[in-house]
Amino acid sequence: MEENKQKKSGFVTLIGRPNVGKSTLMNHLIGQKIAITSDKPQTTRNRIQTVYTDDRGQIIFLDTPGIHKAKNKLGEYMVNVAEHTLKEVDVVLWLVEPTTFIGAGEHHIAEQLSKVSTPVILVINKIDTVKVQEEILTFIAAYKDVCNFAEIVPLSALKEKNTDLLLDLIFKYLPYGPQFYDEDTVTDQPMRQIAAELIREKALHCLQEEIPHGIAVAIDSMKVRNKVMHIDATIICERDSHKGIIIGKKGSMLKKIGSTARYEIEKMLDQQVNLKLWV
């Protein structure tokens, strides 16, 4: 078979400082809600592997914790995971916010990228927040010499602006090869893990600044009975003093977390869900 008739496939990682929109971008590219999105740094999330397939081939996205200067052992582990991934993939997407200020965190990422030969696509995200579109040219100019970029793409993950262009450019740099997953595969994460991610996301959204981001969710059981998915889950917090805040007055906060999480899980599973939460 001629090369131009073959399909492409390969691995792509999204890197960037916390809260630049990595998970939001991945969710929109895939078309389903897979990764947790929150305005708080993700310090306890596993690497999420998701799959995009079309007639051009297949992209396997590795979503990693934000690369930053670690302050503790957990932070060091997350940084090592992220930086090791740079050497495993075929394309790196570096997400940044629309600004001309390039801080120490960005310079740290650029330093890591200089150690690999992988094509790097700079993604300037959140351009929907830029009032004067001509300013985008100044952001590109500020970043273009920071690293040897293969491409620079301004986009809005939230508004899905230029996300199709990004997919085109990713395929441009992927090698030809066999597909790693079936066409209908979206993620290699077990449904239990995705459900836990969704519950944790909704807990963070509901609690806002009341609780530090150090919470986790464990799925105790997940079984189908009479066509209804019954899920028992426990929210685990760092301190006993946080329990009352998560539960809320007469259980109001826990109920709010449960109802919003149940709605998302029902959309994901396309079936009725009975969700019970404990703290």
Side-chain angles (χ1 to χ4, degrees):
M1 184 183 291
E2 296 179 10
E3 187 174 76
N4 61 1
K5 291 184 179 180
Q6 293 179 1
K7 291 189 176 184
K8 289 189 167 187
S9 63
F11 294 84
V12 176
T13 191
L14 295 84
I15 65 168
R17 300 189 72 195
N19 305 328
V20 294
K22 298 188 298 296
S23 296
T24 301
L25 176 60
M26 188 168 68
N27 285 336
H28 282 287
L29 291 176
I30 298 299
Q32 295 191 31
K33 186 149 194 171
I34 300 297
I36 184 172
T37 55
S38 170
D39 57 2
K40 298 184 181 182
Q42 304 306 311
T43 58
T44 58
R45 199 179 68 210
N46 293 325
R47 183 167 76 174
I48 295 175
Q49 185 162 300
T50 51
V51 184
Y52 174 87
T53 306
D54 67 15
D55 56 3
R56 294 170 290 184
Q58 193 168 82
I59 305 170
I60 299 96
F61 288 99
L62 304 180
D63 182 41
T64 62
I67 291 183
H68 52 276
K69 292 188 176 180
K71 295 180 180 179
N72 52 43
K73 288 186 177 180
L74 175 60
E76 288 176 4
Y77 169 76
M78 290 300 187
V79 170
N80 289 337
V81 169
E83 293 175 357
H84 179 71
T85 302
L86 299 180
K87 300 174 184 178
E88 296 179 335
V89 298
D90 301 292
V91 177
V92 174
L93 303 183
W94 179 14
L95 271 68
V96 299
E97 295 188 330
T99 178
T100 56
F101 174 75
I102 303 175
E106 284 73 26
H107 283 295
H108 176 69
I109 292 174
E111 182 183 342
Q112 303 309 313
L113 292 174
S114 68
K115 300 175 184 177
V116 299
S117 58
T118 312
V120 179
I121 298 176
L122 178 70
V123 179
I124 302 176
N125 192 21
K126 304 183 182 180
I127 61 169
D128 55 294
T129 64
V130 180
K131 294 180 180 179
V132 182
Q133 292 301 297
E134 286 74 13
E135 285 186 42
I136 295 172
L137 296 177
T138 66
F139 307 143
I140 293 173
Y143 267 96
K144 68 181 179 64
D145 296 325
V146 171
C147 190
N148 184 23
F149 297 112
E151 308 282 351
I152 298 178
V153 183
L155 60 73
S156 169
L158 191 63
K159 303 294 184 182
E160 297 189 62
K161 184 175 183 180
N162 282 350
T163 51
D164 287 342
L165 171 61
L166 180 60
L167 285 172
D168 291 340
L169 292 173
I170 291 171
F171 276 115
K172 175 182 174 181
Y173 292 97
L174 287 187
Y176 290 92
Q179 311 296 279
F180 291 92
Y181 293 91
D182 293 335
E183 287 186 9
D184 58 351
T185 299
V186 175
T187 177
D188 69 344
Q189 297 284 66
M191 285 301 168
R192 292 170 73 100
Q193 194 166 333
I194 298 174
E197 290 273 277
L198 289 173
I199 295 167
R200 181 169 180 265
E201 174 190 83
K202 295 309 171 186
L204 290 172
H205 283 175
C206 292
L207 294 163
Q208 291 299 323
E209 301 303 321
E210 294 182 69
I211 295 284
H213 51 260
I215 63 171
V217 174
I219 302 296
D220 303 313
S221 69
M222 191 169 178
K223 298 178 181 178
V224 177
R225 293 195 301 272
N226 299 324
K227 299 182 179 179
V228 176
M229 178 65 76
H230 294 266
I231 302 173
D232 291 355
T234 301
I235 298 174
I236 303 161
C237 53
E238 292 180 326
R239 300 175 183 175
D240 285 339
S241 59
H242 293 164
K243 280 187 178 181
I245 299 173
I246 297 172
I247 294 170
K249 189 176 181 179
K250 296 182 179 179
S252 58
M253 180 58 74
L254 195 60
K255 185 177 180 181
K256 182 180 179 182
I257 295 169
S259 61
T260 53
R262 187 187 70 245
Y263 174 76
E264 290 284 356
I265 297 170
E266 285 182 337
K267 283 203 302 181
M268 177 186 71
L269 298 177
D270 194 24
Q271 73 178 118
Q272 187 178 345
V273 170
N274 177 28
L275 175 62
K276 294 181 180 179
L277 295 178
W278 286 266
V279 182

